[in-house]
Amino acid sequence: MTKSSRTTRSSGKSAGRKPAGPARKGYRGPSRLITSDDLYLFNEGSHFRLYDKLGAHPLEAGGVHFAVWAPNAARVSVIGDFNDWRPERDVLEPAQSSGIWRGVVPDAAEGACYKFHVESNHSGYVVDKADPFAFCTEEPPKTASVVWQSHHEWADTEWMTGRR
């Protein structure tokens, strides 16, 4: 499938319909969400809380931190409601040589639909992928992930203490 014939999400809109607009890198300086210790544990294969690091995580200061593992990617960006599904707008940065791509998208917020736009190093393959670490997704047949943060307050302290 060529870039000009590819459609975005399930809306059927042509990917080249609107002018590109200014490119902006999503990554705004060092991310405290993924530390060098996280990268070490990830590369070692012993990171047991990746769901806290990868995927979409709304930030208190505004915006959303996105991260995905795409080791064979030449370029990764986030597309969604917040950028009219345009892959050139919110480009992620690689985190050292881990294969993790990460960045902060200031215009994204909780409830926004999104996908990762991955351009492969192999044969010019390009694909829009749902987030494997998403906490929420659209209802089928739609396939986008949804920025979500649980607001549930657990009230099981007594039970957790008593189960030992």
Side-chain angles (χ1 to χ4, degrees):
M1 185 179 296
T2 65
K3 284 187 179 183
S4 61
S5 67
R6 191 180 65 243
T7 57
T8 58
R9 222 175 95 203
S10 57
S11 66
K13 295 179 184 174
S14 172
R17 198 169 133 194
K18 290 186 178 182
R24 60 183 180 195
K25 294 215 177 206
Y27 189 62
R28 297 187 306 192
S31 169
R32 288 190 163 82
L33 197 57
I34 299 178
T35 66
S36 58
D37 288 341
D38 290 320
L39 293 174
Y40 175 83
L41 293 171
F42 176 80
N43 288 329
E44 185 181 68
S46 61
H47 200 304
F48 298 117
R49 296 184 60 94
L50 284 175
Y51 56 87
D52 283 336
K53 306 298 177 175
L54 300 180
H57 297 277
L59 302 173
E60 286 184 26
V64 175
H65 180 273
F66 290 95
V68 65
W69 185 57
N72 293 315
R75 183 172 182 239
V76 178
S77 59
V78 182
I79 57 174
D81 296 338
F82 43 85
N83 64 13
D84 295 323
W85 299 89
R86 298 187 313 200
E88 66 281 351
R89 291 293 306 273
D90 295 302
V91 180
L92 302 181
E93 295 282 328
Q96 298 173 12
S97 60
S98 63
I100 294 174
W101 293 75
R102 63 185 175 179
V104 175
V105 178
D107 297 334
E110 190 168 343
C113 294
Y114 71 97
K115 287 187 178 186
F116 291 109
H117 179 81
V118 181
E119 299 175 20
S120 175
N121 279 321
H122 305 290
S123 305
Y125 181 72
V126 177
V127 65
D128 297 337
K129 299 290 281 184
D131 183 354
F133 281 90
F135 291 111
C136 185
T137 61
E138 289 183 304
E139 256 185 64
K142 295 179 181 179
T143 61
S145 303
V146 178
V147 176
W148 192 258
Q149 182 173 349
S150 175
H151 299 282
H152 181 74
E153 296 286 332
W154 290 97
D156 61 351
T157 307
E158 184 179 328
W159 180 83
M160 290 293 288
T161 305
R163 72 180 189 152
R164 294 183 195 170

